[in-house]
């Protein structure tokens, strides 16, 4: 093992970012605003604050301020698990026999097991500062709910989580971690909300979806005084908080004098990818540097590669604001794949605009090939990756294999968003050879898209 560049690069405490970077400030074409579903006018601060925490609404609407100070309390919490290491994947390179140089930013080194804690702690902080009693949210695979329950317990807030039913059943252990941190967890759709009861009536056997759980959590927030709704992905504010990933990664790369050619991340709602790429895209937008950026999504839920760029509801119950994004339609029910965190019908408005403008590209990969990549990674690099993160690993391996053919020594950076200890059911079906790839037909997607709201 050649070790001129260390296997792991850490930033020292005083090199850790003290501000988040708002890539919108450098975008010429700003992401389209959220619209009020009733009036179809851009959502105002006054309309957003009954649902979301006030300071987070300000961050949501701010397209101009390039940097936001990270409050000291949040910086202090970050110290428990940050800086996250930048790892040179020497063992993976060797196993692949590639001339490519592969780096990954590892975000799984905390109890929630994913990058989601970076935004959870920020959102809990602003809720506490506003004097709220608690927050409600949805969780798909369970990573966001776990992260939020940790953050809420740190600040003494009540935490109510609507968990997508198929994950609730597949992943009882996550539920117990959440309860250990004091959260109340309800499988969604449930009969505890009006929207949940309506969905259950229409689709009796449904295993749920993120869009549906969001509707329930929003209803629970607006019907309880002192509560607000928080969301773990998709929104501009979440991307903003997640820029700690990219800022740290870039600072660590600068420290060892490395510039990536290709940057890869998995994309569910787009928060880890957006956070990872923001500082690099900023350079690209300002004409200072160029990078190839690849968003990787599951073939079972291909919002960027097969969706439509249009205004859509963020939730199945159609009570949230409308967002312009690449979407499969809020009625799209993806097959119950094992990458629960990537089962969202839409995509961050920021990433959607960047994709539309050609700053990033996208590809969809199938579940079995993702797990083949996960298995290889686990065996050679040691870390058992989350199924979501393994989408990025798949694409990184594919790019490294291309380099092997062409002899190019490209530098690849990818985001390893989390660990897979709670996804062993998925690994079991891969190991048993029973894992399948369920890809939606053109008709299914067209049918769902035909129900998009009419916005002109
Ligand atoms: C939630 C999650 C994702 C996907 O969410 P994004 O908002 O697209 O980042 C990816 N990886 C892990 C481990 C997750 O928990």
């Amino acid at each position: 093992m050649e070790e001129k560049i260390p296997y792991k690069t850490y930033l020292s405490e005083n090199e850790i970012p003290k501000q988040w970077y708002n890539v919108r400030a450098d975008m010429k074409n700003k992401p389209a605003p959220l619209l009020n579903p009733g009036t179809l006018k851009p959502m105002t601060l006054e309309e957003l604050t009954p649902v979301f925490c006030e300071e987070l609404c300000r961050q949501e609407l701010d397209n101009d301020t390039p940097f936001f100070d990270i409050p000291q309390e949040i910086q202090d919490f970050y110290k428990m698990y940050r800086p996250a290491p930048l790892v040179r994947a020497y063992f993976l390179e060797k196993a692949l026999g590639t001339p490519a140089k592969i780096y990954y930013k590892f975000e799984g080194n905390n109890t929630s097991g994913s990058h989601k804690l970076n935004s959870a702690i920020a959102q809990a902080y602003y809720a506490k500062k506003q004097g709220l009693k608690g927050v409600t949210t949805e969780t798909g695979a369970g990573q966001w709910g776990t992260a939020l329950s940790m953050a809420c317990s740190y600040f003494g807030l009540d935490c109510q989580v609507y968990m997508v039913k198929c994950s609730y059943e597949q992943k009882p252990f996550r539920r117990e971690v959440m309860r250990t941190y004091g959260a109340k967890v309800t499988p969604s759709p449930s009969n505890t909300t009006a929207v949940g009861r309506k969905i259950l009536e229409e689709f009796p056997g449904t295993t749920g979806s993120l869009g549906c759980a969001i509707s329930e959590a929003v209803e629970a927030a607006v019907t309880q005084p002192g509560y607000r709704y928080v969301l773990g992905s998709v929104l501009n504010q979440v991307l903003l908080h997640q820029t700690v990933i990219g800022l740290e990664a870039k600072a660590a790369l600068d420290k060892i004098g490395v510039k990536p050619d290709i940057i890869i991340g998995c994309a569910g709602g787009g928060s880890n990818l957006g956070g990872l790429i923001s500082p690099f895209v900023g350079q690209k937008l300002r004409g200072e540097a160029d990078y190839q950026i690849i968003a990787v999504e599951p073939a079972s839920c291909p919002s960027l590669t097969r969706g439509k760029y249009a205004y859509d509801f963020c939730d199945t119950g159609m009570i949230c604001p409308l967002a312009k994004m690449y979407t499969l339609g809020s009625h799209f029910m993806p097959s119950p794949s094992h990458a629960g965190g990537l089962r969202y019908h839409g995509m961050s408005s920021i990433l959607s605009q960047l994709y539309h403008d050609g700053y990033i590209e996208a590809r969809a990969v199938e579940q079995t090939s993702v797990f083949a990549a996960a298995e290889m990674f686990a065996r050679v690099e040691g870390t058992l990756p989350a199924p979501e993160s393994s989408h990025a690993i798949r694409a990184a391996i594919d790019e490294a294999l291309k380099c092997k053919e062409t002899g190019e020594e490209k530098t690849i950076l990818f985001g390893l968003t989390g660990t897979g200890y709670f996804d062993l059911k998925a690994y079991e079906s891969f190991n048993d050879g029973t894992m399948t790839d369920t890809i939606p037909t053109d008709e299914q997607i067209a049918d769902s898209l035909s129900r998009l709201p009419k916005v002109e």
Side-chain angles (χ1 to χ4, degrees):
M1 189 162 130
E2 160 225 2
E3 278 243 33
K4 225 163 54 226
I5 289 189
Y7 179 66
K8 284 185 185 174
T9 303
Y10 283 100
L11 298 178
S12 66
E13 226 171 85
N14 60 12
E15 293 169 317
I16 298 179
K18 300 202 166 29
Q19 294 181 309
W20 294 302
Y21 165 60
N22 181 10
V23 70
R24 285 168 286 167
D26 283 311
M27 290 170 69
K28 272 177 230 83
N29 298 331
K30 305 292 182 194
L34 294 171
L35 298 185
N36 178 314
T39 63
L40 301 185
K41 296 252 160 37
M43 291 290 286
T44 60
L45 188 67
E46 293 68 34
E47 289 171 319
L48 284 170
T49 47
V51 181
F52 298 103
C53 304
E54 192 164 331
E55 195 56 37
L56 294 167
C57 293
R58 288 184 206 288
Q59 295 178 354
E60 192 62 30
L61 296 176
D62 192 328
N63 284 340
D64 305 304
T65 308
F67 290 96
F68 285 81
D69 288 338
I70 305 176
Q72 189 59 48
E73 290 87 339
I74 300 174
Q75 287 189 44
D76 288 344
F77 187 88
Y78 279 168
K79 281 176 195 156
M80 286 188 215
Y81 67 101
R82 310 201 69 83
L86 175 79
V87 185
R88 170 79 182 266
Y90 281 112
F91 301 110
L92 179 62
E93 290 169 18
K94 185 160 171 252
L96 293 170
T98 175
K101 298 174 175 62
I102 308 174
Y103 293 84
Y104 58 90
K105 181 74 172 152
F106 181 46
E107 290 291 325
N109 195 19
N110 66 77
T111 293
S112 80
S114 84
H115 66 285
K116 293 206 171 67
L117 196 53
N118 299 332
S119 182
I121 194 62
Q123 298 196 41
Y125 167 79
Y126 292 115
K128 184 68 183 179
K129 205 170 144 225
Q130 194 176 327
L132 297 176
K133 266 209 299 240
V135 291
T136 71
T137 198
E138 79 296 330
T139 195
Q143 288 98 325
W144 169 245
T146 312
L148 189 69
S149 62
M150 291 173 70
C152 285
S153 105
Y154 183 75
F155 284 121
L157 285 166
D158 186 36
C159 180
Q160 301 175 359
V161 181
Y162 287 86
M163 185 169 187
V164 178
K165 193 180 277 168
C166 71
S167 298
Y168 185 89
E169 284 158 5
Q170 272 177 11
K171 303 179 182 187
F173 298 136
R174 280 216 177 268
R175 183 181 71 212
E176 293 316 314
V177 181
M178 288 186 248
R179 291 177 56 201
T180 301
Y181 283 94
K184 182 176 149 215
V185 190
T186 308
S188 167
S190 76
N191 54 21
T192 67
T193 63
V195 63
R197 288 189 291 273
K198 188 162 158 258
I199 292 168
L200 281 174
E201 219 167 88
E202 205 181 330
F203 306 98
T206 179
T207 52
S209 68
L210 266 186
C212 160
I214 293 173
S215 301
E216 291 207 86
V218 172
E219 184 182 321
V222 297
T223 52
Q224 297 175 91
Y227 282 75
R228 292 292 186 281
Y229 166 68
V230 295
L231 182 58
S233 182
V234 185
L235 295 177
N236 299 338
Q237 56 188 272
V238 184
L239 249 81
L240 177 73
H241 307 146
Q242 293 297 357
T243 59
V244 288
I245 304 173
L247 292 164
E248 269 187 15
K250 181 149 191 324
L253 286 167
D254 288 347
K255 200 165 156 169
I256 52 177
V258 171
K259 178 187 171 291
D261 300 298
I262 308 176
I263 305 170
I264 299 170
C266 62
S271 74
N272 86 82
L273 177 68
L276 174 67
I277 67 175
S278 276
F280 301 98
V281 168
Q283 288 184 300
K284 211 167 153 162
L285 288 162
R286 297 188 302 269
E288 297 166 6
D290 198 17
Y291 305 95
Q292 182 187 5
I293 297 170
I294 307 173
V296 192
E297 56 186 14
S300 60
C301 194
S303 31
L304 285 171
T305 51
R306 293 176 69 196
K308 187 171 167 185
Y309 192 34
Y311 268 104
D312 193 9
F313 287 96
C314 296
D315 61 322
T316 313
M318 303 189 286
I319 52 180
C320 288
L322 298 169
K324 189 172 182 191
M325 55 187 175
Y326 277 85
T327 179
L328 295 164
S330 63
H331 293 277
F332 183 77
M333 285 275 179
S335 66
S337 91
H338 286 293
L342 305 181
R343 286 182 88 222
Y344 186 63
H345 65 273
M347 185 55 64
S348 136
S349 291
I350 296 175
L351 287 189
S352 292
Q353 186 66 49
L354 290 170
Y355 177 61
H356 195 69
D357 291 341
Y359 288 100
I360 63 180
E361 50 192 89
R363 70 178 64 153
V365 291
E366 295 182 18
Q367 189 163 239
T368 43
S369 77
V370 165
F371 274 82
E375 179 190 76
M376 175 175 201
F377 186 83
R379 289 182 185 182
V380 300
E381 283 291 325
T383 297
L384 185 77
E388 292 87 356
S389 325
S390 304
H391 288 67
I393 299 175
R394 174 75 268 163
I397 290 178
D398 290 343
E399 289 304 312
L401 290 174
K402 273 187 213 162
C403 290
K404 186 176 175 176
E405 266 173 37
T406 61
E408 286 174 290
E409 292 182 26
K410 287 189 182 170
T411 298
I412 300 168
L413 167 67
F414 74 89
L416 185 66
T417 49
T419 49
Y421 298 111
F422 289 112
D423 301 286
L424 295 171
K425 277 276 170 209
Y427 278 94
E428 180 184 52
S429 79
F430 178 72
N431 291 331
D432 287 347
T434 55
M435 180 172 276
T436 53
D437 297 308
T438 312
I439 298 167
T441 62
D442 289 342
E443 289 70 32
Q444 276 170 317
I445 292 178
D447 176 56
S448 170
L449 288 176
S450 73
R451 298 164 78 182
L452 285 178
K454 306 275 173 287
V455 180
E456 251 351 293

